[in-house]
């Protein structure tokens, strides 16, 4: 499920998707009236030095080839850190918790940062939690 819009509202970034969306994600986007974001390839092509926050993974093997390791600014995840995790030369934002869904981490971040959670984004997060 999509969580790209949450990054924009919490951290001021530009939402992007890593791949084509599946029917479940399309349903959630349509139901909550959230536009489908651009692909990561498109955003990186527009700005090759764009800073990237990885969401729902931190394994190099899952990273889109268009993302340069030096451009990674953060990782928000709920999966175990294993042998192929990203390695950065500079400190980055890392929020990895043993929770059932990284959407729970993002919803919690809205509360901690005292940011209003729009109904559409709350719906997308709920959809993602149920899907995960």
């Amino acid at each position: 499920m999509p969580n790209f819009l949450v990054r924009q509202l919490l951290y001021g970034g530009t939402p992007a998707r890593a791949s084509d969306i599946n029917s479940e994600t399309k349903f959630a986007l349509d139901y909550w009236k959230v536009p489908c974001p651009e692909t990561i390839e498109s955003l990186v092509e527009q700005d090759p030095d764009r800073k990237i926050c990885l969401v729902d993974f931190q394994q190099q093997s899952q990273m889109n080839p268009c993302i340069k390791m030096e451009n990674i600014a953060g990782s928000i995840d709920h999966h175990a850190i294993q042998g192929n995790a990203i390695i950065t030369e500079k400190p980055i934002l890392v929020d990895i918790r043993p929770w059932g869904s990284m959407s729970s981490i993002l919803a919690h971040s809205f509360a901690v940062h005292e940011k209003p959670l729009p109904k559409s984004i709350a719906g997308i997060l709920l959809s993602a939690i149920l899907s995960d």
Side-chain angles (χ1 to χ4, degrees):
M1 293 310 282
N3 288 292
F4 29 74
L5 296 170
V6 175
R7 293 190 298 265
Q8 181 179 26
L9 292 172
L10 271 175
Y11 303 110
T14 302
R17 58 186 166 88
S19 62
D20 292 334
I21 60 170
N22 60 26
S23 59
E24 185 178 19
T25 300
K26 181 176 179 352
F27 173 83
L29 290 170
D30 291 346
Y31 185 87
W32 296 108
K33 297 176 179 53
V34 173
C36 186
E38 293 183 63
T39 63
I40 188 66
E41 294 93 348
S42 174
L43 292 178
V44 168
E45 184 178 306
Q46 293 169 30
D47 179 3
D49 296 321
R50 177 182 299 275
K51 297 299 179 197
I52 309 284
C53 182
L54 308 176
V55 177
D56 206 24
F57 76 97
Q58 31 61 32
Q59 297 294 311
Q60 292 181 49
S61 59
Q62 294 177 317
M63 195 163 67
N64 188 299
C66 76
I67 300 172
K68 295 185 235 171
M69 196 68 74
E70 62 267 18
N71 290 353
I72 297 174
S75 177
I76 302 170
D77 198 5
H78 68 111
H79 296 101
I81 300 172
Q82 297 175 345
N84 196 24
I86 59 167
I87 298 171
T88 62
E89 293 191 20
K90 296 179 183 178
I92 64 170
L93 167 82
V94 176
D95 192 348
I96 299 175
R97 302 175 195 210
W99 295 6
S101 170
M102 72 86 200
S103 296
S104 299
I105 297 169
L106 291 172
H108 179 261
S109 294
F110 270 97
V112 168
H113 294 292
E114 298 181 354
K115 296 267 186 167
L117 186 56
K119 183 177 179 179
S120 61
I121 300 306
I124 287 291
L125 287 173
L126 176 60
S127 298
I129 289 167
L130 294 171
S131 175
D132 209 3

